[in-house]
C-alpha cells in the first residue's frame, strides 16, 4: 500500500504529495432523472467518513449535479489505486441499495457490474484523478456536468488554457507564456495525441471541435506537470446500449503559473451547445449554476455544470465554495435560457436533435425496415 504523503521536493523542503479523485455515477434519480435523493448523499457521506476514519482517505466531499452522485476524494494512494476505486464502487453499490429501497428512477443505472474487478475501468462510474505535490497554496476547481456528453469540456478547457481572449495570463504572465500541452483522446480507437499550444492550436481545434470523437483528457504544463484532468469514460460504448449520457467531470488546478480561478470560470461564461439534454439526443446550451440549482427540469435540462472550489491544506479539502452561484453568472444563465427557447423551436429537427450516429435513442432502423418492406 502506498502512503507517500510527504516527499522531498526539488527545493529540498518536505511537501505534500496528494491525489485528487472525482468519481461519479448515477445510481438512481429523484424524480425521474432530475436530482439525487438526500438519502443517497447521506449514505455516501457516512461510508466515506468511515473510510477517512480508517486512514484510507485524507478527506472527501460528496455533492450532486442533477441525478449524478459525485465523490470528491483526496488521498495519498496515487491514481487508479485499487483500494480507492473499490471504496467508490462499494459506495455506489450501497447507494444503489438505498435507491432501490426508495424506488428511485433507474436505480443502479451506471453500475454495469455487481462485482469489483480491480479498477473502475469498464464498470460504469466516470473517474478522473490527478497526483501532484501540493504547492504553497493550491486552489483547485472541480467542475461537474449533468445531461451532457464527455466532449462538453473541450471548449472551456481550450478557452482557459489556450485562448488569450479568455485568459490574458497567456499573454501577460511570463509563467504562462509558454503555453500548455493538451492530451486528446481519440474516443473511436482509444489513442491519445499530445498537442502543444500555442504551436499546435489549429491541429488541436481540428480535433476537439469534433466533440463526439475527440476528448480533452488532460492538460499539462510544458514541464509535464498535470494541471487538469477529465472523465472520458463513455457509458454507452462501455455498455453497448443507451444507459444515459456520460455527464462528465473535471479537476482544474489554478493560479501561480496556471490560469487564475477567474480565468477558468470565464471559460464557462458562454453557454455553449453540448450533446445531451432530453434522451441524450439533443444539442442544448450548458448552464453554469449553483449546486442547489443543478436540478434539470425543462425537457430534462437544460444541461448543467456546477463548480466547487477547494483551497487544499495538506491534502485536506476544507469547505468548498460554490463558484457558479455568483451573481456574475446570472446573465450567462439568461442567455442560456434564450438559447433553449431557440433550440427547442426546432423540435425533432437537426441540429437540435443530434445526427443519427450521436443520438442515444433511435427508431430510425425500425422506420427504415418498415419502408424497406413496402419499397
Ligand atoms: C438524458 C436522460 C433523460 C432520459 C429521459 C427518458 O441523459 O437521462 O433525458 O433519457 O428521461 O428516460 P427513460 O427512457 O428512462 O424513460
Ligand atoms: Mg439518470
Ligand atoms: Mg446524469
Amino acid at each position: 500500500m502506498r502512503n507517500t504523503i510527504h516527499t522531498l521536493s526539488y527545493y529540498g523542503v518536505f511537501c505534500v504529495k496528494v491525489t485528487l479523485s472525482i468519481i461519479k455515477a448515477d445510481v438512481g434519480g429523484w424524480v425521474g432523472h432530475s436530482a439525487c435523493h438526500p438519502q443517497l448523499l447521506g449514505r455516501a457521506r457516512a461510508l466515506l467518513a468511515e473510510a477517512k476514519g480508517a486512514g484510507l482517505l485524507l478527506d472527501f466531499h460528496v455533492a450532486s449535479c442533477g441525478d449524478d452522485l459525485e465523490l470528491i476524494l483526496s488521498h495519498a494512494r496515487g491514481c487508479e489505486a485499487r483500494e480507492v476505486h473499490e471504496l467508490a464502487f462499494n459506495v455506489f453499490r450501497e447507494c444503489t441499495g438505498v435507491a432501490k429501497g426508495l424506488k428511485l428512477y433507474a436505480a443502479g443505472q451506471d453500475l454495469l457490474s455487481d462485482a469489483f474487478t480491480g479498477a473502475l475501468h469498464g464498470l460504469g462510474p466516470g473517474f478522473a484523478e490527478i497526483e501532484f505535490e501540493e504547492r504553497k497554496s493550491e486552489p483547485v476547481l472541480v467542475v461537474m456536468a449533468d445531461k451532457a456528453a464527455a466532449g462538453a469540456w473541450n471548449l472551456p478547457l481550450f478557452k482557459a488554457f489556450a485562448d488569450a481572449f479568455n485568459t490574458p495570463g497567456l499573454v501577460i504572465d511570463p509563467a504562462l507564456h509558454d503555453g500548455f500541452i493538451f492530451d486528446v483522446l481519440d474516443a473511436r480507437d482509444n489513442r491519445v495525441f499530445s498537442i502543444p499550444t500555442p504551436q499546435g492550436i489549429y491541429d488541436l481545434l481540428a480535433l476537439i471541435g469534433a466533440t463526439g470523437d475527440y476528448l480533452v483528457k488532460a492538460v499539462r504544463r510544458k514541464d509535464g506537470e498535470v494541471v487538469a484532468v477529465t472523465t472520458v469514460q463513455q457509458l454507452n460504448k462501455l455498455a453497448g446500449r443507451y444507459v444515459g449520457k456520460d455527464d462528465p467531470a473535471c479537476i482544474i488546478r489554478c493560479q501561480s503559473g496556471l490560469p487564475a480561478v477567474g480565468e477558468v470560470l470565464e471559460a464557462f461564461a458562454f453557454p455553449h451547445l453540448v450533446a445531451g439534454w432530453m434522451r441524450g439526443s439533443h444539442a442544448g446550451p450548458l448552464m453554469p449554476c449553483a449546486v442547489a440549482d443543478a436540478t434539470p427540469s425543462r425537457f430534462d435540462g437544460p444541461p448543467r455544470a456546477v463548480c466547487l472550489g477547494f483551497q487544499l491544506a495538506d491534502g485536506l479539502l476544507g469547505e468548498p465554495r460554490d463558484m457558479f452561484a455568483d451573481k456574475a453568472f446570472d446573465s450567462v444563465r439568461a442567455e442560456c435560457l434564450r438559447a433553449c427557447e431557440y433550440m427547442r423551436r426546432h423540435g425533432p429537427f437537426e441540429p437540435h436533435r443530434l445526427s443519427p450516429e450521436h443520438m442515444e435513442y433511435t427508431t430510425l432502423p425500425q422506420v427504415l425496415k418498415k419502408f424497406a418492406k413496402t419499397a
Side-chain angles (χ1 to χ4, degrees), residues 7-172:
T7 56
L8 198 61
S9 84
Y10 66 94
Y11 296 112
V13 293
F14 282 99
C15 57
V16 173
K17 187 131 181 169
V18 62
T19 308
L20 292 184
S21 305
I22 167 79
I23 308 183
K24 47 84 43 188
D26 172 356
V27 294
W30 177 60
V31 171
H33 293 280
S34 65
C36 199
H37 196 282
Q39 284 191 31
L40 299 192
L41 297 165
R43 188 80 189 108
R45 284 186 189 115
L47 290 165
L48 293 179
E50 253 173 52
K52 183 178 169 183
L56 175 51
L57 300 176
L58 295 172
D59 208 354
F60 69 89
H61 182 80
V62 175
S64 62
C65 182
D67 54 8
D68 289 281
L69 178 58
E70 315 272 354
L71 313 180
I72 300 164
L73 313 175
S74 69
H75 54 94
R77 308 205 169 226
C79 298
E80 303 208 10
R82 183 193 165 104
E83 58 274 33
V84 174
H85 281 208
E86 190 165 20
L87 169 67
F89 183 84
N90 289 338
V91 170
F92 293 134
R93 199 171 40 193
E94 287 276 323
C95 288
T96 296
V98 177
K100 286 186 172 157
L102 292 166
K103 291 197 139 215
L104 297 183
Y105 193 67
Q109 174 184 286
D110 288 0
L111 275 196
L112 305 179
S113 161
D114 291 336
F116 183 71
T117 47
L120 284 171
H121 288 287
L123 297 185
F127 61 94
E129 299 180 284
I130 186 167
E131 186 184 27
F132 53 85
E133 281 181 4
E134 191 179 300
R135 294 170 293 168
K136 200 169 95 197
S137 184
E138 187 70 57
V140 178
L141 300 176
V142 181
V143 195
M144 298 153 272
D146 188 39
K147 306 294 179 273
W153 306 138
N154 284 8
L155 185 147
L157 286 177
F158 176 82
K159 289 182 87 168
F161 286 95
D163 178 3
F165 280 75
N166 180 88
T167 300
L170 292 164
V171 177
I172 64 176

Side-chain angles (χ1 to χ4, degrees), residues 236-320:
N236 307 307
K237 286 186 183 155
L238 289 175
R241 64 190 156 84
Y242 179 73
V243 275
K245 271 286 183 226
D246 314 301
D247 302 338
C250 63
I251 302 175
I252 306 170
R253 299 169 65 196
C254 305
Q255 305 284 159
S256 304
L258 304 177
V261 165
E263 286 169 331
V264 173
L265 297 178
E266 178 67 8
F268 290 88
F270 165 52
H272 67 293
L273 296 176
V274 299
W277 209 350
M278 175 55 76
R279 298 178 184 274
S281 303
H282 293 82
L286 185 68
M287 179 192 267
C289 65
V291 174
D293 295 329
T295 49
S297 56
R298 181 178 174 187
F299 203 53
D300 281 358
R304 309 286 156 128
V306 299
C307 176
L308 292 177
F310 296 92
Q311 195 62 61
L312 291 197
D314 296 331
L316 300 182
L317 294 169
E319 267 304 295

Side-chain angles (χ1 to χ4, degrees), residues 1-12:
M1 173 172 46
R2 272 208 283 171
N3 203 358
T4 52
I5 299 183
H6 293 97
T7 56
L8 198 61
S9 84
Y10 66 94
Y11 296 112

